[in-house]
Amino acid sequence: MELKFLTRESITEMKADDEKFIPMLISENRDDIMSYLYSNNHIKNTGISVDDFTLIKEEDFSVSDLSNTILLYSKMKNIPVRLAADERLWAWLTVEKFWDYIYYRRKGDWRNPKDNRAYYQSFFYTYGPSRSQVLNTISRLWWAGYYTYDENRADKYELTKFYLKNAFSSNILLLQSSKATANKDVRLGLLDGLKEWLEANSLKFKREYFVEPVKHLNIIGGVALLDFYSRKDIHDITLDCLRKKYEK
């Protein structure tokens, strides 16, 4: 399939007029929203194609979120990062291509929303770009894959399965929110060490087990450039931090 995007003008207009567009965006009848987009030439081609695919719709979101991360990233991992960071791509995928998945995944959030962000977050960016990337219903699947994919492992999604098999939404936000984990070697070295330590101690993942070494890495980053540390260095620092904190 050729990847497309919505124009910035259309996204701005839809965000600005919630009374008009929210009913159109969430309606199972797609005629009105598609008519608006196509009649105004608001859907454009990126010039980039990927193998076509359909997202999985299971009742258990903890299963489908992980499965769809692996599925979507495997199909789209070669797109430019600049495109993956662009709200307009994900707006098209949510509003048109994968709307049925959006309905399956978000309809519960639409029943008693606190405000209109519950609707708009399903389709668009509603916070700053970095945070929105891991909150938008579709873009977060790509970024979850991007942050955890490891080409050096036999199972390249081993860390994905380890880190995101539970509490998908909060864990991907946690991984994205630290400046230290923006670096690939730091991020994967941290997950390497965390996985090894948990398995050695027969423990299940807890938020504090992730946060503690991240805090330690941030302290190191305050006096030295983490970019100069190897993945193995970060792995060892993570293990040492967890052992000192929790093994007494």
Side-chain angles (χ1 to χ4, degrees), residues 193-207:
L194 177 59
K195 183 175 185 293
E196 181 178 327
W197 181 78
L198 289 174
E199 290 175 350
N201 291 277
S202 301
L203 294 171
K204 293 184 178 180
F205 177 88
K206 289 183 180 180
R207 180 187 177 92

mmCIF file with all atom_site columns, all heavy atoms in Angstrom, residues 193-207:
data_model
loop_
_atom_site.group_PDB
_atom_site.id
_atom_site.type_symbol
_atom_site.label_atom_id
_atom_site.label_alt_id
_atom_site.label_comp_id
_atom_site.label_asym_id
_atom_site.label_entity_id
_atom_site.label_seq_id
_atom_site.pdbx_PDB_ins_code
_atom_site.Cartn_x
_atom_site.Cartn_y
_atom_site.Cartn_z
_atom_site.occupancy
_atom_site.B_iso_or_equiv
_atom_site.pdbx_formal_charge
_atom_site.auth_seq_id
_atom_site.auth_comp_id
_atom_site.auth_asym_id
_atom_site.auth_atom_id
_atom_site.pdbx_PDB_model_num
ATOM 1   N N   . GLY A 1 193 ? 20.062 -5.259  30.716 1.00 0.00 ? 193 GLY A N   1
ATOM 2   C CA  . GLY A 1 193 ? 20.404 -5.461  32.115 1.00 0.00 ? 193 GLY A CA  1
ATOM 3   C C   . GLY A 1 193 ? 19.189 -5.736  32.974 1.00 0.00 ? 193 GLY A C   1
ATOM 4   O O   . GLY A 1 193 ? 19.224 -6.608  33.855 1.00 0.00 ? 193 GLY A O   1
ATOM 5   N N   . LEU A 1 194 ? 18.112 -5.007  32.726 1.00 0.00 ? 194 LEU A N   1
ATOM 6   C CA  . LEU A 1 194 ? 16.877 -5.191  33.487 1.00 0.00 ? 194 LEU A CA  1
ATOM 7   C C   . LEU A 1 194 ? 16.317 -6.593  33.274 1.00 0.00 ? 194 LEU A C   1
ATOM 8   O O   . LEU A 1 194 ? 15.936 -7.279  34.235 1.00 0.00 ? 194 LEU A O   1
ATOM 9   C CB  . LEU A 1 194 ? 15.856 -4.141  33.069 1.00 0.00 ? 194 LEU A CB  1
ATOM 10  C CG  . LEU A 1 194 ? 14.473 -4.213  33.710 1.00 0.00 ? 194 LEU A CG  1
ATOM 11  C CD1 . LEU A 1 194 ? 14.567 -4.101  35.222 1.00 0.00 ? 194 LEU A CD1 1
ATOM 12  C CD2 . LEU A 1 194 ? 13.563 -3.117  33.141 1.00 0.00 ? 194 LEU A CD2 1
ATOM 13  N N   . LYS A 1 195 ? 16.282 -7.044  32.035 1.00 0.00 ? 195 LYS A N   1
ATOM 14  C CA  . LYS A 1 195 ? 15.765 -8.383  31.712 1.00 0.00 ? 195 LYS A CA  1
ATOM 15  C C   . LYS A 1 195 ? 16.615 -9.461  32.382 1.00 0.00 ? 195 LYS A C   1
ATOM 16  O O   . LYS A 1 195 ? 16.083 -10.403 32.988 1.00 0.00 ? 195 LYS A O   1
ATOM 17  C CB  . LYS A 1 195 ? 15.753 -8.586  30.196 1.00 0.00 ? 195 LYS A CB  1
ATOM 18  C CG  . LYS A 1 195 ? 15.167 -9.918  29.728 1.00 0.00 ? 195 LYS A CG  1
ATOM 19  C CD  . LYS A 1 195 ? 15.091 -9.931  28.197 1.00 0.00 ? 195 LYS A CD  1
ATOM 20  C CE  . LYS A 1 195 ? 14.399 -11.195 27.696 1.00 0.00 ? 195 LYS A CE  1
ATOM 21  N NZ  . LYS A 1 195 ? 15.160 -12.426 27.947 1.00 0.00 ? 195 LYS A NZ  1
ATOM 22  N N   . GLU A 1 196 ? 17.927 -9.320  32.295 1.00 0.00 ? 196 GLU A N   1
ATOM 23  C CA  . GLU A 1 196 ? 18.826 -10.311 32.892 1.00 0.00 ? 196 GLU A CA  1
ATOM 24  C C   . GLU A 1 196 ? 18.634 -10.375 34.405 1.00 0.00 ? 196 GLU A C   1
ATOM 25  O O   . GLU A 1 196 ? 18.585 -11.466 34.993 1.00 0.00 ? 196 GLU A O   1
ATOM 26  C CB  . GLU A 1 196 ? 20.274 -9.963  32.557 1.00 0.00 ? 196 GLU A CB  1
ATOM 27  C CG  . GLU A 1 196 ? 21.286 -10.960 33.107 1.00 0.00 ? 196 GLU A CG  1
ATOM 28  C CD  . GLU A 1 196 ? 22.711 -10.628 32.714 1.00 0.00 ? 196 GLU A CD  1
ATOM 29  O OE1 . GLU A 1 196 ? 22.909 -10.087 31.598 1.00 0.00 ? 196 GLU A OE1 1
ATOM 30  O OE2 . GLU A 1 196 ? 23.633 -10.901 33.512 1.00 0.00 ? 196 GLU A OE2 1
ATOM 31  N N   . TRP A 1 197 ? 18.537 -9.216  35.035 1.00 0.00 ? 197 TRP A N   1
ATOM 32  C CA  . TRP A 1 197 ? 18.407 -9.177  36.499 1.00 0.00 ? 197 TRP A CA  1
ATOM 33  C C   . TRP A 1 197 ? 17.074 -9.762  36.963 1.00 0.00 ? 197 TRP A C   1
ATOM 34  O O   . TRP A 1 197 ? 17.023 -10.534 37.915 1.00 0.00 ? 197 TRP A O   1
ATOM 35  C CB  . TRP A 1 197 ? 18.549 -7.740  36.988 1.00 0.00 ? 197 TRP A CB  1
ATOM 36  C CG  . TRP A 1 197 ? 18.463 -7.616  38.479 1.00 0.00 ? 197 TRP A CG  1
ATOM 37  C CD1 . TRP A 1 197 ? 19.447 -7.908  39.386 1.00 0.00 ? 197 TRP A CD1 1
ATOM 38  C CD2 . TRP A 1 197 ? 17.326 -7.196  39.239 1.00 0.00 ? 197 TRP A CD2 1
ATOM 39  N NE1 . TRP A 1 197 ? 19.000 -7.683  40.672 1.00 0.00 ? 197 TRP A NE1 1
ATOM 40  C CE2 . TRP A 1 197 ? 17.699 -7.253  40.609 1.00 0.00 ? 197 TRP A CE2 1
ATOM 41  C CE3 . TRP A 1 197 ? 16.044 -6.775  38.908 1.00 0.00 ? 197 TRP A CE3 1
ATOM 42  C CZ2 . TRP A 1 197 ? 16.831 -6.897  41.636 1.00 0.00 ? 197 TRP A CZ2 1
ATOM 43  C CZ3 . TRP A 1 197 ? 15.173 -6.415  39.918 1.00 0.00 ? 197 TRP A CZ3 1
ATOM 44  C CH2 . TRP A 1 197 ? 15.566 -6.485  41.273 1.00 0.00 ? 197 TRP A CH2 1
ATOM 45  N N   . LEU A 1 198 ? 15.991 -9.422  36.280 1.00 0.00 ? 198 LEU A N   1
ATOM 46  C CA  . LEU A 1 198 ? 14.678 -9.951  36.648 1.00 0.00 ? 198 LEU A CA  1
ATOM 47  C C   . LEU A 1 198 ? 14.645 -11.464 36.510 1.00 0.00 ? 198 LEU A C   1
ATOM 48  O O   . LEU A 1 198 ? 14.128 -12.171 37.383 1.00 0.00 ? 198 LEU A O   1
ATOM 49  C CB  . LEU A 1 198 ? 13.588 -9.321  35.779 1.00 0.00 ? 198 LEU A CB  1
ATOM 50  C CG  . LEU A 1 198 ? 13.266 -7.850  36.025 1.00 0.00 ? 198 LEU A CG  1
ATOM 51  C CD1 . LEU A 1 198 ? 12.272 -7.330  34.992 1.00 0.00 ? 198 LEU A CD1 1
ATOM 52  C CD2 . LEU A 1 198 ? 12.704 -7.639  37.431 1.00 0.00 ? 198 LEU A CD2 1
ATOM 53  N N   . GLU A 1 199 ? 15.188 -11.968 35.413 1.00 0.00 ? 199 GLU A N   1
ATOM 54  C CA  . GLU A 1 199 ? 15.181 -13.413 35.190 1.00 0.00 ? 199 GLU A CA  1
ATOM 55  C C   . GLU A 1 199 ? 16.075 -14.131 36.199 1.00 0.00 ? 199 GLU A C   1
ATOM 56  O O   . GLU A 1 199 ? 15.724 -15.213 36.689 1.00 0.00 ? 199 GLU A O   1
ATOM 57  C CB  . GLU A 1 199 ? 15.625 -13.712 33.761 1.00 0.00 ? 199 GLU A CB  1
ATOM 58  C CG  . GLU A 1 199 ? 14.595 -13.287 32.722 1.00 0.00 ? 199 GLU A CG  1
ATOM 59  C CD  . GLU A 1 199 ? 15.077 -13.471 31.297 1.00 0.00 ? 199 GLU A CD  1
ATOM 60  O OE1 . GLU A 1 199 ? 16.285 -13.750 31.099 1.00 0.00 ? 199 GLU A OE1 1
ATOM 61  O OE2 . GLU A 1 199 ? 14.250 -13.324 30.368 1.00 0.00 ? 199 GLU A OE2 1
ATOM 62  N N   . ALA A 1 200 ? 17.212 -13.556 36.553 1.00 0.00 ? 200 ALA A N   1
ATOM 63  C CA  . ALA A 1 200 ? 18.119 -14.176 37.512 1.00 0.00 ? 200 ALA A CA  1
ATOM 64  C C   . ALA A 1 200 ? 17.496 -14.256 38.901 1.00 0.00 ? 200 ALA A C   1
ATOM 65  O O   . ALA A 1 200 ? 17.807 -15.159 39.686 1.00 0.00 ? 200 ALA A O   1
ATOM 66  C CB  . ALA A 1 200 ? 19.428 -13.390 37.573 1.00 0.00 ? 200 ALA A CB  1
ATOM 67  N N   . ASN A 1 201 ? 16.605 -13.318 39.215 1.00 0.00 ? 201 ASN A N   1
ATOM 68  C CA  . ASN A 1 201 ? 15.976 -13.266 40.530 1.00 0.00 ? 201 ASN A CA  1
ATOM 69  C C   . ASN A 1 201 ? 14.520 -13.730 40.528 1.00 0.00 ? 201 ASN A C   1
ATOM 70  O O   . ASN A 1 201 ? 13.830 -13.600 41.537 1.00 0.00 ? 201 ASN A O   1
ATOM 71  C CB  . ASN A 1 201 ? 16.069 -11.846 41.092 1.00 0.00 ? 201 ASN A CB  1
ATOM 72  C CG  . ASN A 1 201 ? 17.486 -11.453 41.453 1.00 0.00 ? 201 ASN A CG  1
ATOM 73  O OD1 . ASN A 1 201 ? 17.972 -11.782 42.522 1.00 0.00 ? 201 ASN A OD1 1
ATOM 74  N ND2 . ASN A 1 201 ? 18.155 -10.744 40.533 1.00 0.00 ? 201 ASN A ND2 1
ATOM 75  N N   . SER A 1 202 ? 14.093 -14.276 39.383 1.00 0.00 ? 202 SER A N   1
ATOM 76  C CA  . SER A 1 202 ? 12.709 -14.777 39.242 1.00 0.00 ? 202 SER A CA  1
ATOM 77  C C   . SER A 1 202 ? 11.680 -13.724 39.664 1.00 0.00 ? 202 SER A C   1
ATOM 78  O O   . SER A 1 202 ? 10.729 -14.007 40.397 1.00 0.00 ? 202 SER A O   1
ATOM 79  C CB  . SER A 1 202 ? 12.522 -16.061 40.069 1.00 0.00 ? 202 SER A CB  1
ATOM 80  O OG  . SER A 1 202 ? 13.408 -17.062 39.652 1.00 0.00 ? 202 SER A OG  1
ATOM 81  N N   . LEU A 1 203 ? 11.888 -12.500 39.189 1.00 0.00 ? 203 LEU A N   1
ATOM 82  C CA  . LEU A 1 203 ? 11.000 -11.396 39.522 1.00 0.00 ? 203 LEU A CA  1
ATOM 83  C C   . LEU A 1 203 ? 10.216 -10.944 38.310 1.00 0.00 ? 203 LEU A C   1
ATOM 84  O O   . LEU A 1 203 ? 10.647 -11.113 37.167 1.00 0.00 ? 203 LEU A O   1
ATOM 85  C CB  . LEU A 1 203 ? 11.817 -10.202 40.050 1.00 0.00 ? 203 LEU A CB  1
ATOM 86  C CG  . LEU A 1 203 ? 12.537 -10.402 41.387 1.00 0.00 ? 203 LEU A CG  1
ATOM 87  C CD1 . LEU A 1 203 ? 13.472 -9.231  41.653 1.00 0.00 ? 203 LEU A CD1 1
ATOM 88  C CD2 . LEU A 1 203 ? 11.530 -10.560 42.516 1.00 0.00 ? 203 LEU A CD2 1
ATOM 89  N N   . LYS A 1 204 ? 9.043  -10.370 38.552 1.00 0.00 ? 204 LYS A N   1
ATOM 90  C CA  . LYS A 1 204 ? 8.244  -9.775  37.495 1.00 0.00 ? 204 LYS A CA  1
ATOM 91  C C   . LYS A 1 204 ? 8.567  -8.290  37.384 1.00 0.00 ? 204 LYS A C   1
ATOM 92  O O   . LYS A 1 204 ? 8.987  -7.659  38.354 1.00 0.00 ? 204 LYS A O   1
ATOM 93  C CB  . LYS A 1 204 ? 6.757  -9.973  37.781 1.00 0.00 ? 204 LYS A CB  1
ATOM 94  C CG  . LYS A 1 204 ? 6.309  -11.420 37.717 1.00 0.00 ? 204 LYS A CG  1
ATOM 95  C CD  . LYS A 1 204 ? 4.808  -11.544 37.916 1.00 0.00 ? 204 LYS A CD  1
ATOM 96  C CE  . LYS A 1 204 ? 4.354  -12.994 37.807 1.00 0.00 ? 204 LYS A CE  1
ATOM 97  N NZ  . LYS A 1 204 ? 2.885  -13.126 38.000 1.00 0.00 ? 204 LYS A NZ  1
ATOM 98  N N   . PHE A 1 205 ? 8.345  -7.762  36.216 1.00 0.00 ? 205 PHE A N   1
ATOM 99  C CA  . PHE A 1 205 ? 8.639  -6.348  35.980 1.00 0.00 ? 205 PHE A CA  1
ATOM 100 C C   . PHE A 1 205 ? 7.789  -5.462  36.883 1.00 0.00 ? 205 PHE A C   1
ATOM 101 O O   . PHE A 1 205 ? 6.588  -5.666  37.038 1.00 0.00 ? 205 PHE A O   1
ATOM 102 C CB  . PHE A 1 205 ? 8.362  -6.000  34.516 1.00 0.00 ? 205 PHE A CB  1
ATOM 103 C CG  . PHE A 1 205 ? 8.581  -4.545  34.194 1.00 0.00 ? 205 PHE A CG  1
ATOM 104 C CD1 . PHE A 1 205 ? 9.827  -4.098  33.809 1.00 0.00 ? 205 PHE A CD1 1
ATOM 105 C CD2 . PHE A 1 205 ? 7.532  -3.628  34.294 1.00 0.00 ? 205 PHE A CD2 1
ATOM 106 C CE1 . PHE A 1 205 ? 10.034 -2.750  33.514 1.00 0.00 ? 205 PHE A CE1 1
ATOM 107 C CE2 . PHE A 1 205 ? 7.740  -2.288  34.008 1.00 0.00 ? 205 PHE A CE2 1
ATOM 108 C CZ  . PHE A 1 205 ? 8.988  -1.850  33.615 1.00 0.00 ? 205 PHE A CZ  1
ATOM 109 N N   . LYS A 1 206 ? 8.434  -4.475  37.471 1.00 0.00 ? 206 LYS A N   1
ATOM 110 C CA  . LYS A 1 206 ? 7.753  -3.413  38.201 1.00 0.00 ? 206 LYS A CA  1
ATOM 111 C C   . LYS A 1 206 ? 8.322  -2.081  37.734 1.00 0.00 ? 206 LYS A C   1
ATOM 112 O O   . LYS A 1 206 ? 9.508  -1.992  37.381 1.00 0.00 ? 206 LYS A O   1
ATOM 113 C CB  . LYS A 1 206 ? 7.967  -3.542  39.715 1.00 0.00 ? 206 LYS A CB  1
ATOM 114 C CG  . LYS A 1 206 ? 7.250  -4.697  40.377 1.00 0.00 ? 206 LYS A CG  1
ATOM 115 C CD  . LYS A 1 206 ? 7.489  -4.654  41.889 1.00 0.00 ? 206 LYS A CD  1
ATOM 116 C CE  . LYS A 1 206 ? 6.793  -5.799  42.590 1.00 0.00 ? 206 LYS A CE  1
ATOM 117 N NZ  . LYS A 1 206 ? 7.035  -5.756  44.071 1.00 0.00 ? 206 LYS A NZ  1
ATOM 118 N N   . ARG A 1 207 ? 7.512  -1.068  37.776 1.00 0.00 ? 207 ARG A N   1
ATOM 119 C CA  . ARG A 1 207 ? 7.931  0.258   37.343 1.00 0.00 ? 207 ARG A CA  1
ATOM 120 C C   . ARG A 1 207 ? 9.207  0.709   38.068 1.00 0.00 ? 207 ARG A C   1
ATOM 121 O O   . ARG A 1 207 ? 10.117 1.263   37.452 1.00 0.00 ? 207 ARG A O   1
ATOM 122 C CB  . ARG A 1 207 ? 6.796  1.253   37.601 1.00 0.00 ? 207 ARG A CB  1
ATOM 123 C CG  . ARG A 1 207 ? 7.108  2.690   37.202 1.00 0.00 ? 207 ARG A CG  1
ATOM 124 C CD  . ARG A 1 207 ? 5.988  3.624   37.643 1.00 0.00 ? 207 ARG A CD  1
ATOM 125 N NE  . ARG A 1 207 ? 6.288  4.994   37.330 1.00 0.00 ? 207 ARG A NE  1
ATOM 126 C CZ  . ARG A 1 207 ? 5.932  5.602   36.205 1.00 0.00 ? 207 ARG A CZ  1
ATOM 127 N NH1 . ARG A 1 207 ? 5.263  4.939   35.284 1.00 0.00 ? 207 ARG A NH1 1
ATOM 128 N NH2 . ARG A 1 207 ? 6.227  6.883   35.985 1.00 0.00 ? 207 ARG A NH2 1
#
